Amino acid sequence: TVIEYYTYNGTDQLLSCNGGGVDFLSVLLGFVLGIIFTLGAIGSGVAIAWFVNYKITRRLREDNPPSDYEAGLVRMHHFPSEAVKQAPGVLSAEYSLSVNEDMSADQFQDKWESIADYRDEEFSIKSTEEFQSLLSKQMIFCLASGEVENEMKYYLYAKDSTEKKLFLIEVVIDTITNEGKMTLKSSSNSEREITDFVAYFFKAIDSITTGHV
């Protein structure tokens, strides 16, 4: 059958192949409604998926809430300028310390002797009572400590999260004057990372220090 036009009420109509009339407005309306229903279905699906994901995530957080360290690492990517304040062990947006406390005295000694370069920092302190605990909360672990001839000595270490970079620290504090010196040796860290660590170290004990040179 040849497709033809005919006029009905002053409007051109299209004849279908079987001779029936096709109304363009009806076709257009059907097409638009189809798009609207399709978009509505997609939107509803996305909304339902988001809601289910939200409920599951919330339930997981309630059952297994993240540690301060984990929460801080996540927040670090959104608010890098606040990273150090948010979580123990976070030096910057690019650098965090390992939570593993697993260095032996022999490993410390071997590493210490193999590193020639060092950095000295002088400071004064109110008391040594909280010194070790404040640092351990910030992932700077004490391997050994003790008092010898009016000097309190601490041997501490910290590793980055990949455990490929290392900080070794000797702290000597005069128990009479409360003046102290921190000697830092570093393995595989850049000068910027060393500077950030020194700032992080003294921020960790800020509540008990009275000066830092």
Side-chain angles (χ1 to χ4, degrees), residues 31-72:
F31 179 73
V32 171
L33 289 175
I35 291 177
I36 292 173
F37 284 125
T38 300
L39 292 177
I42 293 173
S44 298
V46 170
I48 293 172
W50 179 88
F51 180 75
V52 171
N53 181 69
Y54 169 79
K55 296 293 287 185
I56 292 174
T57 302
R58 186 168 183 178
R59 176 59 62 85
L60 288 174
R61 287 179 176 175
E62 291 173 352
D63 294 342
N64 300 288
S67 66
D68 290 340
Y69 179 75
E70 293 169 329

Side-chain angles (χ1 to χ4, degrees), residues 183-196:
T183 300
L184 173 68
K185 291 190 175 185
S186 169
S187 173
S188 302
N189 288 290
S190 67
E191 188 61 33
R192 171 63 185 274
E193 291 167 344
I194 294 172
T195 298
D196 286 346

Side-chain angles (χ1 to χ4, degrees), residues 95 111 115 164-168 185-189 194:
Y95 200 109
K111 282 288 186 181
I115 302 172
K164 295 179 180 178
K165 300 179 180 182
L166 182 66
F167 292 104
L168 302 175
K185 291 190 175 185
S186 169
S187 173
S188 302
N189 288 290
I194 294 172

Side-chain angles (χ1 to χ4, degrees), residues 8 41 80 120 146 172 176 181:
Y8 177 74
D120 284 340
V172 180
I176 298 175
K181 184 175 75 171

Side-chain angles (χ1 to χ4, degrees), residues 165-182:
K165 300 179 180 182
L166 182 66
F167 292 104
L168 302 175
I169 309 140
E170 179 189 57
V171 173
V172 180
I173 300 174
D174 188 311
T175 56
I176 298 175
T177 64
N178 283 335
E179 298 293 322
K181 184 175 75 171
M182 183 259 275

